[in-house]
Amino acid sequence: DAGITQSPRHKVTETGTPVTLRCHQTENHRYMYWYRQDPGHGLRLIHYSYGVKDTDKGEVSDGYSVSRSKTEDFLLTLESATSSQTSVYFCAISQGSRSSGNTIYFGEGSWLTVV
Amino acid sequence: SQKIEQNSEALNIQEGKTATLTCNYTNYSPAYLQWYRQDPGRGPVFLLLIRENEKEKRKERLKVTFDTTLKQSLFHITASQPADSATYLCALDHGQNFVFGPGTRLSVLP
């Protein structure tokens, strides 16, 4: 257990509304990630962070923004939700080193439905 | 283009048999490769990591091989049990990030 908590776990929202998903970790990991998982596409990286205020885009970042003002919290915001953003969102942290190999630990997921 | 493929979307095997799952990649040069298990409604869980200079890694009933020439990893579950039924994902390191395959859904039939 890497001490990762996601909230909310389930949310239904309307098209055009902003939505923020929160990821909280308790073990001071430097790297944090947001993935989305969809049938036929698998897990795709949205954004990641390598420290407070240090973030970068992943493969599918359009329509999403992130913030990391504290080590323990990584927020994912859908600026104006669209139906194509209906998905399961997973937060993750990485642990290890380049020499030993990094492994990823995932949260339990946030199910988002945009209607 | 860069791609990770897992041999089949779904695999059914009989209890007690060995399950073999395949992960192939194109245009990546990973330093290591990982396998994860995902149960329905849950996040993926790390199982094993194998480095580019390792040919084989074992953990209990699990065995992973890594062939950087073929750009392929094989994941074996010996003496499979119904409790092994899940989706299995392979993942490569890619810079500071990780890239995941689409997964294989394994069903072990009693």
Side-chain angles (χ1 to χ4, degrees):
Chain A
D1 182 3
I4 303 168
T5 306
Q6 292 185 227
S7 60
R9 294 292 314 282
H10 299 272
K11 186 173 182 65
V12 179
T13 193
E14 292 187 350
T15 298
T17 59
V19 175
T20 295
L21 306 179
R22 179 180 183 242
C23 178
H24 179 78
Q25 57 135 333
T26 59
E27 299 185 3
N28 211 35
H29 296 289
R30 182 180 169 203
Y31 281 85
M32 298 184 75
Y33 307 82
W34 276 108
Y35 286 87
R36 61 178 288 175
Q37 188 173 36
D38 305 286
H41 291 279
L43 281 161
R44 292 179 292 173
L45 182 66
I46 306 171
H47 282 278
Y48 68 100
S49 169
Y50 44 96
V52 172
K53 292 190 168 62
D54 291 322
T55 65
D56 208 345
K57 296 178 180 180
E59 178 189 355
V60 290
S61 59
D62 286 348
Y64 301 95
S65 61
V66 290
S67 66
R68 193 164 177 203
S69 59
K70 298 186 288 185
T71 299
E72 58 266 34
D73 289 327
F74 191 31
L75 304 181
L76 176 71
T77 297
L78 287 64
E79 292 136 11
S80 177
T82 67
S83 58
S84 65
Q85 293 176 311
T86 293
S87 187
V88 183
Y89 292 86
F90 287 102
C91 175
I93 60 92
S94 68
Q95 182 173 306
S97 67
R98 185 73 185 165
S99 58
S100 66
N102 291 306
T103 57
I104 293 219
Y105 295 89
F106 288 87
E108 288 299 314
S110 293
W111 273 255
L112 177 68
T113 301
V114 183
V115 298
Chain B
S1 63
Q2 295 174 317
K3 207 164 38 171
I4 302 179
E5 295 174 312
Q6 294 188 238
N7 58 323
S8 53
E9 192 175 328
L11 180 65
N12 297 331
I13 64 163
Q14 213 62 40
E15 182 176 6
K17 300 292 186 187
T18 295
T20 298
L21 284 62
T22 304
C23 176
N24 294 289
Y25 60 92
T26 308
N27 291 329
Y28 286 106
S29 299
Y32 48 89
L33 185 145
Q34 305 168 46
W35 284 89
Y36 290 78
R37 169 184 173 139
Q38 186 173 23
D39 292 290
R42 309 294 299 273
V45 174
F46 170 74
L47 295 175
L48 278 170
L49 177 152
I50 185 165
R51 294 180 187 79
E52 59 179 336
N53 59 352
E54 297 176 313
K55 293 277 190 233
E56 182 180 298
K57 203 79 168 281
R58 290 176 186 260
K59 179 182 175 183
E60 298 172 353
R61 294 185 295 110
L62 308 181
K63 184 178 87 170
V64 172
T65 63
F66 191 13
D67 188 326
T68 55
T69 302
L70 290 179
K71 297 186 183 299
Q72 180 181 82
S73 175
L74 300 179
F75 177 78
H76 305 273
I77 305 175
T78 58
S80 59
Q81 305 165 1
D84 295 326
S85 298
T87 296
Y88 292 86
L89 309 170
C90 64
L92 309 175
D93 70 299
H94 181 53
Q96 299 298 336
N97 302 318
F98 301 84
V99 183
F100 286 81
T104 294
R105 188 173 64 253
L106 175 68
S107 297
V108 181
L109 308 172

